[in-house]
Amino acid sequence: MAQVSALIDTLKRELKAQGKTYSDVAAQLELSEASVKRLFAEKNFTLQRLESICDLLNMELSELVQQMSKEQFQLTQLTREQEKEIAHDLILLLITVSVISGMTYQDILDTYNIPETECIRKLAQLDRLKIIDLLPGNRVKLLVAPNFHWLPNGPIQQFFQQKVEQDFFSSRFDKANEKLIVSNAILTDSSNAQLQKKMERLLSEFNELMQEDQSAPNHKKHGTTMVLAIRQWQYSLFKKVLK
């Protein structure tokens, strides 16, 4: 199932890279657009339909599989030692997050007050850590996968929880580009698991949009953070009256 999921994710990225929409796929498969969206959400394609979509993309199914295999060799996580090295250096952390988000060397210089020599030195450090290839002209080739994520409760995640959490939630979340939703419910473990899967799909879409926006002019892009959280939890005051 993991291989099927990875193949469909690769297919979605290839469709977006070629500017193809769900409407185009629907016309190719002679289905409604809603049916196509459901197929992608459920990742439930027959081999015949996969081959038909590949025809739309002017590629062989074998090429799609090769592309998936290539992506799977990319980093999806760093080691704890790598994260620790990055978390202990604020400028290195800033540049790491920037390049993973698709910023170029020049974008970083244009956005942050970092001397060129220091920026190059930090990029060279990321090259040594095998997170990027630093190419001639200070061009950056990212070596992490589109579904890259920090280690759960690892050094980077702990840093953001300790240093950024309070600042992040200090907003009233009442601007057009902000939203905070808090909802409470009593759920079974099964429903909780279903919601976690949907959160993972939303994260995948978040990463795909980041990939799409890499070609947009830097002045039209803004640092954006999404926080998704779910847990079995009650207010500590409520716990005092539990049996």
Side-chain angles (χ1 to χ4, degrees):
M1 183 62 185
Q3 289 290 91
V4 173
S5 179
L7 185 64
I8 301 305
D9 288 341
T10 302
L11 178 62
K12 288 172 68 176
R13 285 190 285 273
E14 189 61 34
L15 284 165
K16 290 181 178 181
Q18 294 194 26
K20 302 296 184 183
T21 65
Y22 284 136
S23 178
D24 295 322
V25 176
Q28 178 74 8
L29 298 181
E30 299 182 350
L31 296 172
S32 68
E33 190 170 339
S35 295
V36 168
K37 289 181 179 179
R38 193 180 313 113
L39 288 174
F40 274 102
E42 297 174 354
K43 298 186 177 181
N44 183 20
F45 285 87
T46 64
L47 184 60
Q48 183 178 2
R49 283 175 172 168
L50 282 175
E51 289 178 333
S52 182
I53 298 173
C54 286
D55 288 341
L56 175 66
L57 296 170
N58 294 314
M59 66 187 303
E60 299 291 333
L61 180 57
S62 59
E63 294 178 88
L64 184 67
V65 174
Q66 288 174 1
Q67 179 65 23
M68 178 196 70
S69 298
K70 179 181 176 182
E71 291 177 355
Q72 287 181 328
F73 280 109
Q74 295 177 312
L75 285 172
T76 57
Q77 285 185 332
L78 303 181
T79 65
R80 184 166 293 274
E81 290 69 28
Q82 286 175 313
E83 283 202 3
K84 188 178 297 184
E85 181 175 342
I86 293 169
H88 287 172
D89 184 332
L90 186 58
I91 299 300
L92 180 62
L93 175 60
L94 173 61
I95 291 177
T96 303
V97 172
S98 297
V99 296
I100 289 176
S101 299
M103 294 180 71
T104 66
Y105 165 73
Q106 192 58 51
D107 289 338
I108 295 171
L109 293 182
D110 292 342
T111 305
Y112 303 109
N113 186 26
I114 300 175
E116 290 187 37
T117 53
E118 185 171 11
C119 186
I120 294 170
R121 187 165 60 250
K122 301 303 183 186
L123 289 174
Q125 191 171 350
L126 294 181
D127 182 279
R128 178 176 58 78
L129 290 171
K130 304 301 182 185
I131 296 169
I132 66 168
D133 274 339
L134 186 56
L135 305 174
N138 296 319
R139 290 180 295 113
V140 172
K141 178 183 178 183
L142 199 57
L143 299 181
V144 301
N147 62 338
F148 173 85
H149 55 281
W150 305 117
L151 289 170
N153 200 35
I156 301 294
Q157 190 176 93
Q158 288 177 10
F159 172 87
F160 281 113
Q161 288 175 336
Q162 295 168 4
K163 309 293 185 182
V164 181
E165 182 179 15
Q166 184 176 354
D167 182 62
F168 181 84
F169 285 105
S170 65
S171 172
R172 294 170 61 106
F173 292 92
D174 56 359
K175 298 178 182 177
N177 58 4
E178 297 179 329
K179 182 174 285 292
L180 175 64
I181 298 175
V182 178
S183 183
N184 299 303
I186 300 175
L187 299 176
T188 63
D189 289 345
S190 174
S191 294
N192 184 294
Q194 287 183 47
L195 282 172
Q196 290 192 44
K197 288 181 180 179
K198 291 183 179 182
M199 291 167 67
E200 289 290 342
R201 287 200 293 268
L202 182 57
L203 177 60
S204 178
E205 291 180 15
F206 182 89
N207 289 329
E208 288 171 7
L209 289 171
M210 180 185 72
Q211 297 291 324
E212 287 181 25
D213 286 350
Q214 284 188 5
S215 59
N218 198 45
H219 69 276
K220 290 189 175 182
K221 296 184 289 188
H222 310 279
T224 302
T225 298
M226 180 176 71
V227 176
L228 300 174
I230 184 171
R231 59 180 295 204
Q232 293 180 348
W233 176 83
Q234 285 184 318
Y235 293 109
S236 58
L237 289 176
F238 292 171
K239 289 183 178 180
K240 293 180 180 179
V241 297
L242 290 175
K243 288 186 178 180

